[in-house]
Amino acid sequence: MTQRIPETPHAEPALTGVRNFRDVGGLPTTDGRRVKTGRLFRSGHLAHATETDTEFLESLGLHTVFDFRNGADQALEGPDVELPGVRNVNIPLSDPADGREFWKMVRDGELAQLREILGDGKGVARMSRSYRTIITTRTAEHSRVVHALADDSVPALMHCAAGKDRAGLSIAVILLALGVEREAIVADYLESNAPHNRYRVRRSSDAAQPRTAEVTELLAPLFDARAPYLTSAFETIDEEWGGVERYLAEGLALAPETLDRLRDRLLD
């Protein structure tokens, strides 16, 4: 689990406009080290950050905010708040066309459509397939992120819309590169299910079934953090590259010296 140290300057406040925020510091590596606190953060989008939220984010001394949303996500929620002196890097990890289709289904999809697309385990299968696809098709993007962290982008905050899937996978890739235990990566990922972390799903007032128990159940697989989703990403790495070492070297083109710099920056 992510280590919590309330006495530090980076103790996590009750952010009101930013969901799913946490410091990844404290996670253990297989060689007995731990991720440094105050170096790598994750969250949902920053578009609705309040003045108090923004003051806290400014206090973190961030170098870079990585936004993994696509254009459809940004059109829906808006751009991130501006943090003075912080570099903002947008690296979409999903296609805008997919985003528009996704949000239209979530906001406006009729019950029959939701049953057809998400019922009978199709929602779960959709999510696992998405995780596998991001791992296999976004190697260049993940390579860019890891190289940036190794070079000059720390402290960094990474987010997508909910801070669960695209940000969750990117954090998982970084933690694998650091040598963090898979069980610890999954445990941190599952913290996105905490009530104060979850994305607030909104249905259009014009939808035929704005929010019923069945609609909520059908949409749940899309907004839950479920261990099998992340496990499917790990399995894809093992199947496609034969393990993490080759994935990092061949899939992400990470030289040993780059990994050394990354670990020096992010590990105690």
Side-chain angles (χ1 to χ4, degrees):
M1 299 293 287
T2 301
Q3 189 179 53
R4 301 286 181 242
I5 309 177
E7 297 81 5
T8 70
H10 302 297
E12 296 161 20
L15 297 175
T16 56
V18 178
R19 310 290 288 184
N20 211 4
F21 175 89
R22 57 189 178 276
D23 187 336
V24 186
L27 296 182
T29 63
T30 55
D31 63 358
R33 304 171 72 182
R34 287 187 178 272
V35 179
K36 292 179 180 178
T37 58
R39 292 293 181 269
L40 186 60
F41 304 91
R42 59 183 293 174
S43 74
H45 68 79
L46 310 183
H48 301 162
T50 65
E51 183 176 348
T52 301
D53 296 341
T54 302
E55 289 175 357
F56 171 76
L57 294 172
E58 290 175 358
S59 77
L60 300 177
L62 296 172
H63 181 287
T64 303
V65 171
F66 292 93
D67 181 355
F68 300 122
R69 295 179 298 165
N70 59 43
D73 302 316
Q74 292 178 340
L76 182 71
E77 302 287 5
D80 285 343
V81 296
E82 293 187 11
L83 302 174
V86 178
R87 181 177 65 174
N88 293 283
V89 178
N90 179 223
I91 305 179
L93 290 182
S94 57
D95 188 274
D98 295 336
R100 285 189 291 272
E101 180 269 335
F102 176 85
W103 290 117
K104 181 172 177 57
M105 175 182 65
V106 170
R107 296 293 177 102
D108 303 312
E110 295 183 357
L111 184 56
Q113 178 193 24
L114 296 178
R115 286 171 176 165
E116 175 64 24
I117 295 174
L118 303 175
D120 297 322
K122 294 177 184 175
V124 172
R126 176 192 179 110
M127 293 301 297
S128 293
R129 185 167 59 250
S130 173
Y131 276 52
R132 289 178 176 272
T133 298
I134 289 176
I135 287 295
T136 57
T137 66
R138 300 293 175 168
T139 52
E141 289 85 348
H142 282 145
S143 176
R144 179 183 171 190
V145 171
V146 177
H147 276 95
L149 292 178
D151 291 339
D152 64 0
S153 298
V154 177
L157 169 64
M158 301 188 172
H159 76 80
C160 49
K164 174 179 70 77
D165 302 315
R166 290 162 292 183
L169 271 176
S170 298
I171 289 289
V173 166
I174 295 160
L175 295 176
L176 287 175
L178 292 173
V180 173
E181 300 169 355
R182 291 191 182 190
E183 294 81 0
I185 298 174
V186 172
D188 174 73
Y189 166 77
L190 292 175
E191 287 193 27
S192 293
N193 286 327
H196 63 284
N197 284 336
R198 294 181 68 90
Y199 183 84
R200 291 172 177 166
V201 181
R202 298 179 179 88
R203 290 277 287 169
S204 170
S205 59
D206 297 327
Q209 298 85 19
R211 192 69 178 269
T212 66
E214 185 176 1
V215 167
T216 299
E217 182 179 357
L218 287 166
L219 291 176
L222 308 182
F223 294 95
D224 289 348
R226 300 188 181 185
Y229 298 164
L230 195 54
T231 300
S232 71
F234 295 154
E235 290 172 348
T236 300
I237 289 172
D238 294 338
E239 293 163 2
E240 295 291 324
W241 287 277
V244 172
E245 186 174 345
R246 279 187 55 200
Y247 166 68
L248 297 174
E250 299 175 12
L252 303 191
L254 296 172
E257 54 268 27
T258 302
L259 289 171
D260 287 343
R261 290 201 311 275
L262 178 76
R263 292 163 184 164
D264 286 344
R265 286 186 182 275
L266 292 178
L267 294 179
D268 283 326

